[in-house]
Amino acid sequence: MNRRSWLKLSAAFGAAMFAMSGAQAQDTIKIGEMNSYKNFAAFLEPYKKGWELAVEQVNASGGLLGKKLEIVSRDDNGNPGDAVRIAEELVTREKVSFLIGTFPSNVGLAVASFAKEKKVLFIAAEPLTDKIVWDQGNKYTFRLRASTYMQTAMLVPEAAKLKKKRWAIVYPNYEYGQSATAAFKQLIKAAQPDVEFVIEQAPPLGKIEAGAVADAIAAAKPDAIFSSLFGADLAKFVREGQTRDLFKGVEVFNLLAGEPEYLDPLKDESPVGWWVTGYPWYAITTPEHKAFAEAYQKRFNDYPRLGSIVGYATVQSAAAVIKKAGTLDTEKLVTAMKGLTHSTPLGNITYRPQDNQSTMGAYVGKIGLKDGKGVMTDWYYADGAKFLPSDADVAKMRPAE
């Protein structure tokens, strides 16, 4: 073969490959996903399995708009600056249709700001800060999980029943913990005006000096403790507090501590009697949850965590809005998100048009021990729709679009 013939063949081959890659791209809907996988592995490894299962099910049922669904996933390192850079890369280089994900509240807020600036739909999966849908809410950002305000509001009625006057508060000192603390103070004061906040401890996230924190709280002699600690910080606080008998005769309320990600590692050290929000996967018998749990266990040979639910439901939301909009046009997707209702393993949820917050609820109960492991007892499902502020209050908090 002479050089001219070889060049023609090479050019033809290159054109064919380009055409094939273009056709392949046209057959795929790409969604950009980012999360702090290395930083929060306990929650986000199950989360990733959850969204992988949902994608497999979507594609097995025929895909979306006649195309396969593809998630382009990146680790944002738990850093707002990195997250914005990655979001830009996903949108401009990877040509994703929209964005999903994030875990820490500060990262979620950074990506929400990016979504507003670039006019890109963003379904925030996990960041719990109230600001993402209220104070700093924007047209393009929607949030799946029940917020700090919502989950705190679910615990406050149980707290108010006890009529405890002297409260200690301990929280991780970043957006999530600050938001949870503000919500608790507001809601418990409204329910019980005579409460006193005798001490606050706000250790940096992941760097708690648990012994010193426990000593300081004990010295304040509270009747009750409200905590939004989670992960390793929670485990250290539980162990140091138990060593010092901090929790004897003191009622404790803790956001998230009933989630398997954070409860399971404590094993027989689980703090019996604490009121918590969480996920008693082993005892939920609704048809939608049973179908999800069976599929998850079959696929991964493991039981689901709350992260599994969040990852799965996030892709369910993404699929539902694409089906409803019938297009990948951003403005039509945003319009379709408002009032979007779809099923999840926890039941039906709706994204409220007034604030872009979903009505996904949470399980409320107490921690008990069974077979040397922590479990949730006396639990019930709190419907998120019942723990949200009024339309009038939302209008005061949320910037006009």
Side-chain angles (χ1 to χ4, degrees), residues 95-384:
K95 306 296 183 185
V96 301
S97 296
F98 56 90
L99 300 169
I100 61 174
T102 71
F103 183 98
S105 289
N106 55 345
V107 172
L109 287 170
V111 177
S113 179
F114 170 87
K116 177 183 178 181
E117 179 186 351
K118 301 296 183 179
K119 296 182 170 55
V120 177
L121 172 62
F122 170 42
I123 303 176
E126 173 63 21
L128 301 183
T129 175
D130 299 315
K131 290 180 180 177
I132 205 166
V133 292
W134 297 335
D135 304 58
Q136 297 179 27
N138 67 72
K139 171 183 177 180
Y140 296 93
T141 299
F142 296 76
R143 198 248 306 281
L144 172 71
R145 272 204 73 180
S147 69
T148 52
Y149 177 94
M150 294 165 72
Q151 293 194 55
T152 301
M154 294 170 190
L155 288 176
V156 163
E158 303 295 347
K161 288 177 187 177
L162 302 177
K163 302 295 182 184
K164 299 298 182 182
K165 187 174 181 180
R166 295 172 56 81
W167 283 87
I169 301 177
V170 55
Y171 59 94
N173 194 13
Y174 80 116
E175 174 57 35
Y176 151 75
Q178 295 160 6
S179 183
T181 298
F184 178 73
K185 286 181 173 180
Q186 172 193 341
L187 292 167
I188 194 66
K189 271 285 189 183
Q192 186 184 338
D194 67 342
V195 298
E196 299 174 11
F197 305 112
V198 296
I199 187 172
E200 287 187 26
Q201 292 287 286
L205 177 63
K207 298 179 180 179
I208 189 172
E209 295 290 341
V213 169
D215 286 339
I217 293 174
K221 295 181 169 52
D223 303 320
I225 299 170
F226 176 77
S227 164
S228 51
L229 297 175
F230 66 96
D233 288 341
L234 172 66
K236 292 174 183 177
F237 179 63
V238 167
R239 287 165 184 150
E240 293 296 336
Q242 288 175 335
T243 297
R244 291 161 170 76
D245 291 334
L246 172 62
F247 310 125
K248 285 191 176 180
V250 176
E251 299 288 347
V252 183
F253 290 74
N254 199 114
L255 292 183
L256 315 183
E259 297 176 10
E261 290 89 334
Y262 312 129
L263 184 59
D264 290 357
L266 289 167
K267 299 180 181 177
D268 60 358
E269 295 179 292
S270 298
V272 173
W274 283 22
W275 279 98
V276 294
T277 58
Y279 173 46
W281 65 270
Y282 36 80
I284 303 169
T285 59
T286 59
E288 56 268 34
H289 184 269
K290 184 177 179 182
F292 162 77
E294 289 178 351
Y296 187 92
Q297 289 176 298
K298 181 179 179 181
R299 174 66 176 81
F300 299 109
N301 193 31
D302 194 7
Y303 60 91
R305 279 72 163 180
L306 188 63
S308 314
I309 292 282
V310 174
Y312 188 85
T314 301
V315 169
Q316 286 185 308
S317 292
V321 73
I322 291 170
K323 288 179 182 178
K324 181 180 176 183
T327 177
L328 297 177
D329 176 81
T330 294
E331 297 302 325
K332 291 180 180 178
L333 286 168
V334 168
T335 298
M337 279 295 300
K338 289 189 174 291
L340 177 71
T341 298
H342 66 84
S343 65
T344 76
L346 303 188
N348 285 348
I349 64 169
T350 298
Y351 285 89
R352 304 198 324 164
Q354 60 267 52
D355 57 9
N356 297 358
Q357 171 64 48
S358 106
T359 58
M360 178 177 279
Y363 292 91
V364 175
K366 301 179 81 171
I367 293 178
L369 275 178
K370 183 178 180 181
D371 301 325
K373 295 189 297 184
V375 295
M376 284 184 70
T377 65
D378 305 318
W379 58 266
Y380 56 90
Y381 183 69
D383 181 358

